[in-house]
Amino acid sequence: MAEPKKLFIKTYGCQMNVYDSERMAEALGNDGYVKSETAEDADMVLLNTCHIRERASEKLYSDLGRLRKLKLAKPEMKIGVAGCVAQAEGDEILRRTPFVDLVVGPQTYHRLPQMLRSNTQQIDTEFPTEDKFDLLPARKVQRGPSAFLTVQEGCDKFCAFCVVPYTRGTEVSRPVARILSEARGLVERGVRDITLLGQNVNAYHGAHDSGDFSLSKLLRLLAGIDGLERLRYTTSHPNDMDDDLIAAHGDLPKLMPYLHLPVQSGSNRILKAMNRKHTAESYLRLIERIRDARPDILLSSDFIVGFPGETEQDFDDTMSLIRSVNYGAAYSFKYSARPGTPAAEKPELDAETTDRRLYALQALITEQQRAIQEGMVGRVVGVLYDKHGRNPGQMVGKSDHLHAVHVDDAHGVVGELVQVRITGSKTNSLSGVRLV
Ligand code: SAH
Ligand code: SF4
Ligand code: F3S
């Protein structure tokens, strides 16, 4: 029998890219590729890229520079570029780095095995009419107890700073039946915790025999799967949080008390310039309603600091919003002008101001995060073990609120969902003892 070929995939960007990388590895697995831990001993290297900020897409070219040297020593090695930079700059990639064998966008990676069989350079960045999920092999590989499941792709919101509507295309929802069978398949292979993914996941409206399903209806259906213990979804837009989705947080025990709800800014002037179509006040009212439904919910958000035209007052408004919400976690980014987006036409702020604001915002978030973590001490929470800890007799898992928890438990098993009393809080994790 022929030696299996080795595949190394490097994934940049969001969870949807993580999911896509798994699916690509499975598709190539059917063609005899097995995963490799390093690029050095791989027969095929695939870079699954992100275009969201300039720094993210520049990483691709520095990685390709290193791969060029590997390929000089091993000319039969194939190099592929997938993901959002492939979609946005496919032709430029082939021009700047002609040793790349193939470029494939996020909507056409089901064609990867076929592209690989060719001996000429290949590019495919179409938005095809067929559904790639129908054509990809069924999912087989699963290690840990947690999995991502993409239910929706693309975005029609066109926030003024964002490339996603251009790289991922318009909003598309997968049909309910396909999601249900993928979820059941994951559970059969030991998954107990599923995070539904979409660039705009709460805008989900997938086809079902009884008419279109909203995200809340989909969650209610998935909650009925025996053996599936936890559900989450990400990323949501504030304007798509409908009444039933808010209610689901109150009446679906499997829906975990954690919600990532990006606001980007607390200034109405900036939100308008960003084309976000919500205000700071409407966001705060929404948070209040979500907390009424699920009082212990932990909230997280994304922030962009230094958007064109952001004044000191605008930034203060963002800081006030953060104080009003009290976040358990947040991602914050310096604004990065992206070619082709409306905001890129506007003059940028000086780097010093943006740096200072980012630092202040992150300090405030860290303070809130720490206080919320410390508030967990003494409480009993569910923890799903996902691996053994570094110390003997220790397990590591995620709490209901998505905190990493180290638990002293000599008999713990990966995939077990246990009750834990939290006894301590460190910078990025909690510690606790198992009950019963
Ligand atoms: N669909 C999601 C997130 C998309 S991208 C949403 O609407 O929230 C993830 C995050 O990257 C965004 O929430 C935003 O905070 C950040 N981001 C997107 N474009 C950016 C840019 N040009 N500069 C800096 N941060 C950006
Ligand atoms: Fe980008 Fe999210 Fe806005 Fe869509 S809603 S354009 S993905 S930031
Ligand atoms: Fe990046 Fe594309 Fe995700 S631009 S954040 S990988 S949708």
Side-chain angles (χ1 to χ4, degrees):
M1 215 171 75
E3 277 274 297
K5 291 168 284 182
K6 289 189 177 165
L7 168 70
F8 176 72
I9 304 191
K10 179 165 176 185
T11 308
Y12 317 71
C14 63
Q15 288 119 324
M16 302 204 55
N17 263 13
V18 174
Y19 176 87
D20 290 341
S21 289
E22 284 172 16
R23 300 293 309 246
M24 287 192 275
E26 287 172 11
L28 292 173
N30 273 12
D31 264 26
Y33 279 92
V34 296
K35 271 214 185 157
S36 148
E37 295 304 315
T38 65
E40 281 71 20
D41 64 7
D43 301 290
M44 159 94 195
V45 176
L46 195 56
L47 304 175
N48 194 11
T49 59
C50 173
H51 199 241
I52 202 82
R53 286 168 289 276
E54 195 178 353
R55 284 259 298 277
S57 49
E58 272 172 358
K59 269 189 216 145
L60 166 68
Y61 292 103
S62 60
D63 281 348
L64 282 176
R66 276 193 292 276
L67 288 177
R68 181 170 170 268
K69 291 189 193 120
L70 277 184
K71 186 153 174 154
L72 282 173
K74 192 174 162 185
E76 68 284 2
M77 185 173 93
K78 297 253 190 192
I79 299 177
V81 180
C84 292
V85 187
Q87 188 64 45
E89 301 177 358
D91 293 320
E92 193 184 333
I93 294 169
L94 294 183
R95 205 172 45 245
R96 271 177 72 173
T97 51
F99 53 90
V100 165
D101 297 282
L102 65 94
V103 168
V104 65
Q107 300 310 341
T108 45
Y109 65 73
H110 55 294
R111 297 176 184 163
L112 200 51
Q114 169 198 335
M115 289 171 80
L116 253 183
R117 275 175 224 126
S118 162
N119 286 322
T120 57
Q121 206 179 35
Q122 300 274 305
I123 176 163
D124 192 341
T125 50
E126 250 191 84
F127 286 111
T129 47
E130 79 261 20
D131 180 352
K132 64 172 179 276
F133 296 116
D134 284 350
L135 299 160
L136 285 164
R139 300 186 70 182
K140 286 194 247 27
V141 190
Q142 180 60 45
R143 290 162 305 268
S146 298
F148 291 136
L149 201 176
T150 293
V151 301
Q152 179 279 330
E153 284 195 281
C155 181
D156 298 338
K157 297 272 194 292
F158 291 93
C159 299
F161 49 81
C162 182
V163 294
V164 169
Y166 311 97
T167 62
R168 292 275 173 168
T170 52
E171 231 177 59
V172 181
S173 295
R174 294 178 68 191
V176 173
R178 309 285 162 75
I179 296 167
L180 190 60
S181 77
E182 188 170 330
R184 285 201 180 113
L186 288 168
V187 172
E188 275 161 25
R189 290 192 302 284
V191 169
R192 307 187 73 187
D193 167 19
I194 293 182
T195 300
L196 305 181
L197 298 182
Q199 269 90 19
N200 214 332
V201 71
N202 58 342
Y204 177 83
H205 51 86
H208 185 264
D209 293 342
S210 67
D212 268 13
F213 259 41
S214 60
L215 184 68
S216 56
K217 277 177 109 173
L218 180 67
L219 286 163
R220 291 179 191 283
L221 183 72
L222 294 174
I225 300 179
D226 276 344
L228 178 58
E229 306 296 343
R230 289 177 155 187
L231 285 163
R232 300 177 209 271
Y233 60 93
T234 197
T235 298
S236 297
H237 190 287
N239 289 3
D240 291 315
M241 289 301 300
D242 64 35
D243 293 349
D244 193 52
L245 185 55
I246 296 173
H249 279 279
D251 50 43
L252 276 185
K254 289 185 182 178
L255 186 56
M256 290 292 105
Y258 179 95
L259 180 64
H260 183 61
L261 195 60
V263 66
Q264 314 297 354
S265 166
S267 152
N268 289 339
R269 222 176 56 82
I270 294 296
L271 287 169
K272 190 149 196 277
M274 286 176 163
N275 193 30
R276 287 289 292 181
K277 299 199 170 81
H278 59 78
T279 61
E281 293 76 24
S282 69
Y283 181 85
L284 290 172
R285 267 198 306 277
L286 177 61
I287 297 289
E288 220 171 279
R289 291 174 57 215
I290 296 167
R291 282 192 167 136
D292 281 346
R294 182 79 205 233
D296 72 333
I297 199 160
L298 188 146
L299 290 156
S300 85
S301 179
D302 291 343
F303 294 93
I304 294 180
V305 174
F307 186 80
E310 185 187 78
T311 62
E312 217 52 45
Q313 180 60 54
D314 293 322
F315 178 66
D316 287 348
D317 290 348
T318 300
M319 295 292 271
S320 311
L321 178 135
I322 296 172
R323 284 188 201 98
S324 307
V325 175
N326 192 24
Y327 287 103
Y331 300 91
S332 47
F333 312 99
K334 288 190 240 180
Y335 168 74
S336 167
R338 305 308 289 132
T341 60
E345 312 286 316
K346 301 197 186 151
E348 286 183 51
L349 261 61
D350 66 283
E352 218 174 292
T353 304
T354 306
D355 284 347
R356 173 174 51 77
R357 290 180 187 166
L358 185 72
Y359 186 81
L361 186 147
Q362 290 183 338
L364 176 57
I365 294 284
T366 305
E367 201 183 297
Q368 296 190 337
Q369 190 172 341
R370 187 177 311 141
I372 286 181
Q373 274 190 207
E374 276 163 11
M376 300 301 297
V377 174
R379 284 178 58 177
V380 174
V381 293
V383 174
L384 179 64
Y385 289 155
D386 48 32
K387 58 182 182 207
H388 289 272
R390 226 176 277 151
N391 303 336
Q394 190 186 55
M395 297 300 293
V396 185
K398 292 284 180 334
S399 75
D400 302 335
H401 301 87
L402 212 55
H403 287 125
V405 189
H406 292 85
V407 185
D408 289 325
D409 181 356
H411 307 292
V413 177
V414 171
E416 236 182 330
L417 179 60
V418 301
Q419 293 298 302
V420 169
R421 184 178 299 283
I422 302 299
T423 51
S425 167
K426 281 194 245 157
T427 317
N428 288 314
S429 66
L430 300 172
S431 50
V433 290
R434 178 178 178 164
L435 303 179
V436 293

